[in-house]
Amino acid sequence: MDVFLMIRRKKLTIFTDAKDTTSVGELKKIIEGILKIPPHNQQLFNKDNTVMEDDKTLQDYGLTSTTAKAQSPATVGLAVRDENGIFEPLELTPYSAPPDLPDVMKSQESNGQEQSS
């Protein structure tokens, strides 16, 4: 079955899908096709922030069609090895919140409907 994933690193978010039998190594190859970062320079983290091993499947980490749906994809963290050969710490920048509505748009009398006179 298909699992839907949201791969996050800092401010970058990638949405992709894979089979629940896909290995973590194969998922890294999918990411390589998008980001041009070789699999050995990638480190993936599951929801518990533990490193995912290449030889295990997504199913082994609880990523199944019931837990990773299209409308609510599972989050997978991505860290990249720097030029010194050390993996950066996992960093997921929180999404920004929309600004408050201007007072003009908060009018309770009209409830979003145009008033007729």
Side-chain angles (χ1 to χ4, degrees):
M1 296 292 292
D2 279 347
V3 293
F4 294 86
L5 304 172
M6 180 170 56
I7 301 164
R8 298 203 50 211
R9 174 183 175 240
K10 298 183 180 178
K11 291 185 176 184
L12 174 76
T13 303
I14 300 168
F15 290 92
T16 189
D17 65 328
K19 300 284 182 210
D20 52 10
T21 55
T22 301
S23 72
V24 173
E26 290 168 351
L27 180 59
K28 287 182 176 183
K29 289 179 184 172
I30 293 170
I31 296 169
E32 178 185 24
I34 298 167
L35 298 179
K36 308 297 184 238
I37 297 170
H40 65 275
N41 286 340
Q42 300 174 29
Q43 198 171 44
L44 298 178
F45 296 85
N46 67 359
K47 64 182 180 298
D48 302 323
N49 286 344
T50 54
V51 177
M52 298 170 76
E53 297 174 29
D54 288 359
D55 57 342
K56 291 196 175 180
T57 66
L58 298 179
Q59 209 168 17
D60 294 338
Y61 289 102
L63 301 173
T64 63
S65 58
T66 54
T67 60
K69 299 177 179 151
Q71 63 270 29
S72 59
T75 300
V76 174
L78 170 65
V80 176
R81 191 187 311 261
D82 63 18
E83 55 276 348
N84 298 330
I86 301 168
F87 281 105
E88 66 191 10
L90 179 63
E91 181 186 336
L92 305 179
T93 304
Y95 293 122
S96 61
D100 288 338
L101 279 175
D103 291 336
V104 176
M105 297 177 74
K106 290 182 183 176
S107 173
Q108 292 300 319
E109 294 96 32
S110 64
N111 280 341
Q113 304 293 319
E114 295 216 12
Q115 293 178 343
S116 55
S117 44

